[in-house]
């Protein structure tokens, strides 16, 4: 005997379902439907902690429509004091590197995250981002900042990252000579 059971989803789960649906519709090039879903989600999640998920999905939809500036402007609406500021900045960085090929703007996004919240994790992310755009000297500085915050605990993974960045710096110098 089948019973009608209603499953209550958390706001986080509902937001994830909306963003997944938008992603799927976008990939299927059903952009008008994706736009309608985003509009509904924006209304439902405005002012909540899940708002940024919808914002990122909306920015990806804008990119698919060829509206890169609009996507960036959406993400810029999150101010540094917003709890999801880092998520929005990382999404902006992704747009800058993939769609604008702008390494400087990409790096600035990660530097802004560190400026707002100078944590070990954020310095590691900044260092990795700088390595990915072949800026090993700046990456080393970011990793050293992480070590300073970490109070010299000597995290082997962090030491390994610095070593990798130093090797990349050495390779860069060798290729110039």
């Amino acid at each position: 005997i089948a019973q009608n059971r209603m499953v209550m989803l958390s706001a986080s789960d509902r937001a994830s379902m909306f963003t997944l649906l938008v992603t799927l519709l976008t990939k299927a090039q059903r952009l008008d439907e994706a736009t309608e879903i985003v509009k509904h989600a924006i209304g439902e999640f405005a002012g909540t902690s899940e708002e940024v998920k919808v914002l990122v999905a909306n920015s990806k939809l804008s990119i698919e429509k060829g509206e890169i500036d609009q996507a960036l402007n959406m993400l810029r609406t999150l101010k540094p004091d917003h709890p999801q500021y880092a998520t929005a900045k990382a999404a902006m960085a992704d747009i800058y590197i993939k769609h604008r090929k702008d390494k400087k703007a990409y790096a600035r996004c990660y530097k802004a995250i560190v400026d707002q919240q100078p944590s070990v994790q954020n310095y590691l992310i900044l260092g990795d981002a700088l390595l990915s755009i072949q800026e090993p000297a700046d990456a080393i500085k970011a990793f050293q900042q992480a070590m300073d915050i970490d109070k010299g605990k000597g995290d082997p993974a962090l030491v390994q990252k610095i070593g990798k960045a130093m090797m990349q710096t050495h390779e860069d110098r060798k290729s110039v000579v």
Side-chain angles (χ1 to χ4, degrees):
I1 299 174
Q3 292 182 347
N4 289 338
R5 291 188 188 192
M6 185 175 284
V7 176
M8 298 301 288
L9 296 176
S10 68
S12 177
D13 288 341
R14 282 195 333 277
S16 294
M17 300 223 6
F18 272 113
T19 57
L20 178 59
L21 182 56
V22 169
T23 301
L24 293 172
L25 289 169
T26 301
K27 286 184 186 220
Q29 291 297 303
R30 293 166 56 184
L31 303 182
D32 290 340
E33 291 174 74
T35 300
E36 288 305 311
I37 298 295
V38 162
K39 284 179 186 174
H40 179 79
I42 288 170
E44 183 168 339
F45 297 102
T48 72
S49 61
E50 302 306 315
E51 177 180 32
V52 74
K53 286 182 185 176
V54 177
L55 190 64
V56 170
N58 196 13
S59 72
K60 289 178 181 177
L61 177 58
S62 290
I63 290 166
E64 194 60 35
K65 293 177 178 178
E67 300 166 349
I68 307 300
D69 288 335
Q70 184 174 338
L72 289 167
N73 287 335
M74 280 179 213
L75 294 166
R76 279 188 195 108
T77 63
L78 266 88
K79 300 296 177 216
D81 60 347
H82 192 284
Q84 296 295 319
Y85 175 76
T87 303
K89 277 296 185 188
M92 287 177 71
D94 192 54
I95 293 169
Y96 279 123
I97 201 71
K98 288 181 181 172
H99 300 281
R100 291 273 172 84
K101 312 292 185 234
D102 186 341
K103 292 179 179 181
K104 289 189 185 325
Y106 172 81
R108 273 195 310 271
C109 289
Y110 285 105
K111 286 176 183 166
I113 292 170
V114 166
D115 289 345
Q116 187 58 31
Q117 188 177 10
S119 67
V120 171
Q121 184 62 34
N122 286 342
Y123 273 110
L124 291 176
I125 292 168
L126 171 61
D128 287 339
L130 290 166
L131 275 181
S132 76
I133 59 170
Q134 284 75 49
E135 295 289 345
D138 289 336
I140 291 168
K141 290 176 190 170
F143 293 141
Q144 287 173 333
Q145 287 286 90
M147 283 185 83
D148 289 348
I149 293 171
D150 208 27
K151 304 282 188 261
K153 291 179 185 165
D155 179 0
L158 185 51
V159 173
Q160 185 178 13
K161 283 180 181 283
I162 292 172
K164 180 181 173 186
M166 287 179 160
M167 284 176 44
Q168 190 173 332
T169 303
H170 179 71
E171 291 298 318
D172 289 348
R173 286 190 187 132
K174 226 163 82 173
S175 68
V176 171
V177 176

